[in-house]
Amino acid sequence: MFVYNKKLQYPVKICNPNPRLAALIISQYGGPDGELGASLRYLSQRYSMPFDDQKALLTDIGTEELEPT
């Protein structure tokens, strides 16, 4: 049987929310110039590459952009 337990790995306590910082963080991940956008561009461009070594390079760069810093 499957049981879903929504629990964070590390507990987070937010005393004072900061909407400006939250907007900045979200724009870095999901904005047009963010890491997710760059990663998806690399991964989609790999399908138009004619040589396997070029495909491998774009795949490596795209997956590297997905890794958290």
Side-chain angles (χ1 to χ4, degrees), residues 12-27:
V12 177
K13 290 186 179 183
I14 299 174
C15 298
N16 298 323
N18 188 345
R20 293 176 103 187
L21 181 61
L24 176 69
I25 292 171
I26 289 172
S27 71

Side-chain angles (χ1 to χ4, degrees), residues 8-62:
L8 295 175
Q9 184 175 2
Y10 301 103
V12 177
K13 290 186 179 183
I14 299 174
C15 298
N16 298 323
N18 188 345
R20 293 176 103 187
L21 181 61
L24 176 69
I25 292 171
I26 289 172
S27 71
Q28 290 300 310
Y29 280 112
D33 297 325
E35 295 196 23
L36 180 62
S39 174
L40 293 176
R41 280 191 293 275
Y42 283 120
L43 292 174
S44 65
Q45 288 174 1
R46 74 177 290 275
Y47 292 106
S48 64
M49 287 293 147
F51 302 110
D52 288 339
D53 56 344
Q54 293 173 348
K55 287 180 186 179
L57 178 64
L58 287 177
T59 302
D60 291 344
I61 294 171

